[in-house]
Amino acid sequence: MTTIGDNLQSVRTRIATACAATGRSADSVALLAVSKTFGPEAVREAHAAGQTAFGENYIQEAVEKIALLRDLPLQWHCIGPIQSNKTRLVAAHFDWAHTVDRLKIAQRLSEQRPEGLGPLQVCIQVNIDGGSTKAGVPPAEALALAREVAALPRLALRGIMTIPEPATDAAVQLAVHQRARSLFDELCAAGLSLDTLSMGMTADLEAAVQAGSTLVRVGTAIFGGRARAA
Ligand SMILES: *Cc1c(COP(=O)(O)O)cnc(C)c1O
């Protein structure tokens, strides 16, 4: 097996172990392989090892990679910031966008989603801990934005996504993921039909699964360290 294949297997085992520890079934958590900064050959290796869903942060880089991998049946998730001038590319090339945090961006994605494609699957990015990155809607505004996004014709609202400030302490990781879980539950209780809680990365996927994540986004543990910051 390739190194990427071995790494994928280890990550799947981590997810399964974390699921078992909280009485969840292993298939209740989807694995998104974050391939940002890695070339198409790395994605091919991961696909050969059974991975089909990939996450990218840099839209221009992703569009080029997606074009080179058209021969494979892959699903592409945009997990990086989306500026207004990039919405057309996201709407045309991705299956999912996890980082919707403004109505204007959601409206553009809906208007620009090509007719021939199904609805773009979206998550509202929530700034769950007021972290310094500032991306994401404040938790108190998530419900209002979610209702507006859910009404857009060419988008399918699936849930919320968070990127907490990095923390090494497992209890700290768990507490912030539990806040996201509570918000997710509130939105569902308010009548939105959501099935995706996108949270957890290489360093905190166990805490995220324990709190109820349904989709972990893992880069480093699959592809190795990245040469440039992301
Ligand atoms: C880079 C990135 C990841 C993956 O992070 P790792 O620590 O490498 O697993 C997940 N989500 C987002 C939004 C990212 O930017």
Side-chain angles (χ1 to χ4, degrees):
M1 234 205 286
T2 64
T3 307
I4 288 174
D6 289 338
N7 291 346
L8 264 171
Q9 199 45 54
S10 308
V11 170
R12 290 186 191 121
T13 302
R14 279 178 66 185
I15 294 170
T17 304
C19 283
T22 30
R24 302 181 59 188
S25 70
D27 62 6
S28 65
V29 180
L31 173 59
L32 183 66
V34 177
S35 46
K36 64 185 176 198
T37 81
F38 291 94
E41 290 316 313
V43 174
R44 284 187 190 280
E45 274 189 59
H47 175 260
Q51 181 67 27
T52 55
F54 293 87
E56 290 282 338
N57 284 56
Y58 312 104
I59 290 155
Q60 196 61 50
E61 172 195 333
V63 166
E64 288 163 24
K65 209 180 292 183
I66 291 167
L68 293 169
L69 293 162
R70 285 232 183 280
D71 56 306
L72 299 181
L74 305 179
Q75 194 185 66
W76 291 99
H77 295 233
C78 177
I79 60 170
I82 306 174
Q83 311 299 336
S84 293
N85 63 356
K86 291 286 175 6
T87 53
R88 190 173 295 281
L89 286 174
V90 173
H93 296 281
F94 284 86
D95 302 290
W96 284 65
H98 291 230
T99 43
V100 172
D101 63 357
R102 282 182 289 153
L103 181 59
K104 182 182 161 213
I105 295 295
Q107 285 168 332
R108 290 174 65 92
L109 290 171
S110 182
E111 283 158 16
Q112 294 169 345
R113 181 68 170 171
E115 277 303 325
L117 300 178
L120 181 68
Q121 312 296 304
V122 303
C123 291
I124 305 280
Q125 183 175 352
V126 179
N127 187 356
I128 196 67
D129 54 2
S132 58
T133 59
K134 293 287 182 262
V137 69
E141 294 166 29
L143 176 59
L145 179 59
R147 284 199 204 283
E148 288 178 305
V149 170
L152 293 170
R154 305 285 295 135
L155 302 186
L157 179 65
R158 299 293 295 270
I160 61 172
M161 177 269 209
T162 61
I163 314 175
E165 288 295 292
T168 46
D169 187 297
V172 174
Q173 294 173 354
L174 181 61
V176 69
H177 287 315
Q178 282 171 333
R179 298 222 301 274
R181 167 63 187 274
S182 298
L183 176 64
F184 178 82
D185 289 346
E186 281 170 35
L187 300 184
C188 293
L192 291 160
S193 114
L194 307 178
D195 63 6
T196 302
L197 184 48
S198 167
M199 62 186 192
M201 319 201 312
T202 293
D204 64 353
L205 76 84
E206 283 82 3
V209 168
Q210 188 179 343
S213 170
T214 69
L215 184 154
V216 292
R217 311 177 308 262
V218 179
T220 307
I222 297 171
F223 296 106
R226 287 179 292 272
R228 63 186 158 94

